[in-house]
Amino acid sequence: MTIEGLISQRLRLPSPPAIAVKILEAVKQDNVSMGQLADIIASDPALTARLLKIANSSMYSLRYPVASIDKALTVLGVNVLKNIALSFVISEELRGCGEEGFDIDYFWRRAVTMAVAAELVAKFVGQPNDEAFVTGLVADIGILLLQRDDPVVYRELLDEHCRRDVPVSVVEKERFGFDHAELTATLLANWGLPDKVTVPVRFHHAPAEVQGKWQDTVEVVHLADQLSAIYHGSDMGRKVSELQALMTSRFGLSQPAVTMLVDSVAEKAREVFASFDLEPGEMMPYSQMLEEANEELREMNLSCEQLVMELKQARERSERLAGELRQTNTRLRELVLRDGLTGLYNHRYFQEMVDHEIERVRRYGGCFSLLMFDLDHFKAVNDRFGHPVGDLVLKNIAEATVAAVRASDIVARYGGEEFAVILPHADSAGLRVFAERLRRTIESLATEIGGEKIRVTVSLGGTVFEAGSSHLEKLTVIDTADRALYQSKALGRNRVTIFPLEGSRRNGTEH
């Protein structure tokens, strides 16, 4: 059975509004004048006022205000004004379709946002379309007809859509044999609207099913639907990311350009809402929402996990802020992973990076070296000069070590007066050269307090993790370097010892 046959079995389609019929019949005539169309529109004073209001809005950015329908027709053209008029007439006709429990204002806010988005997307991607606004506005009115026909059944259908987490059109086809997009397209075709409107409406939830001349037009309405869902749904961050990826791959738009488009939709939709007697509520541009979210984060003194949770609670429509707040989270992670005294990476980050280097060598080959060193007789420094001076010595040694390493190396405070250096791609020879150079650097370093110079030495121990050692675990690597360090202490301190991973202390080398 055809879609039309299935629809006729299910419900009776409403007749088009009388003034819509007059407008459509007039524009079909080859010899229709602007004056005739203006007279039809002017016969409805409320429609005239709404038309002039939206014609003077930022949607069309006219250089001069228009004060009459005749002037609006001259500036905007017959097609644009016809479609704006139809948008108002159709929305007014169906405004009362909401049954109890159905949020009719939410439906029309989403529809108007989609209309504005369709108009903007068409311009953004270089496919201006006079029918874009009205197509976006009426694309989902089949939902109104289905829920009006049987509110209980459609409420159950919506509950099933949420429970199964599948598109509502999937559940509609299972229940009725058709979905609301097919119903909408059939209704608009019966009302006499052209294929430029009915085809994009029919396929805007399934753009992959369309090829050829309608493909770009359908895709514009599909993107408009996604843009509207960003502001009238949940999971905003994921939807914005998906939209950015799609518009970049399909139309070559940069991320800033897509963000500008997303913001423009909210700004212009809020202005157009008033023409449809709708309240904008809390709707605001995406970038403004991010700014406010970041401001809230700056005022919170919480961990990363608490920050995300707090923000989720504060903003119900922002369920996944991690993507949008990546830079803030990176800064917070940096604070969490730094040692408060020396500014070096802390023990937790050290452990993560040893895991990272082991995984890198296992996957790609190569090697990395681990060097650990401990201050000799540091307790005597603290006992004689006090802990604040001891802290200063630790800071100076940390700075000297950072200055001695490569940009790719990682210096961490392992704990107390013990430090560690991870050297990616450094083999045994490179480790020996670096360790000895670092030992001499620290040995020559002096911390001056009250005219007295404090000097300390360090004992160093290291090992090398190579592809041939990939079966060994992290604990073995750290333990080997640590044993080498204590071998240096046992041999008199202020020296370097390197142990191979699978060797014993006797197999090591000492300098």
Side-chain angles (χ1 to χ4, degrees), residues 258-307:
V258 177
T259 300
M260 182 186 302
L261 171 62
V262 175
D263 285 347
S264 296
V265 167
E267 292 164 357
K268 297 186 185 303
R270 284 178 61 88
E271 186 177 356
V272 174
F273 281 159
S275 301
F276 287 83
D277 297 327
L278 295 169
E279 292 293 331
E282 297 182 357
M283 182 177 178
M284 67 179 69
Y286 175 68
S287 293
Q288 184 179 342
M289 292 179 68
L290 287 184
E291 288 177 9
E292 292 191 5
N294 283 326
E295 182 61 31
E296 290 182 19
L297 283 175
R298 283 190 288 269
E299 294 174 358
M300 297 177 185
N301 184 24
L302 303 169
S303 67
C304 297
E305 293 80 7
Q306 289 171 313
L307 285 169

Side-chain angles (χ1 to χ4, degrees), residues 372-377 415 417-419 457-460 485-486 489:
M372 302 182 74
F373 64 92
D374 185 274
L375 277 62
D376 298 328
H377 303 298
E417 62 266 25
E418 190 170 355
F419 297 81
T457 60
V458 291
S459 298
L460 304 94
L485 184 160
Y486 281 95
K489 285 190 175 292

Side-chain angles (χ1 to χ4, degrees), residues 13 55 94 156 164 178 186 221 263 274 276 288 295 298 322 326 335 366 398 473 480 486 489 498:
L13 295 179
L94 298 175
E156 292 174 354
R164 292 169 55 190
F178 59 88
T186 301
V221 183
D263 285 347
F276 287 83
Q288 184 179 342
E295 182 61 31
R298 283 190 288 269
R326 190 173 290 111
L335 291 174
E473 299 299 325
T480 302
Y486 281 95
K489 285 190 175 292
I498 296 174

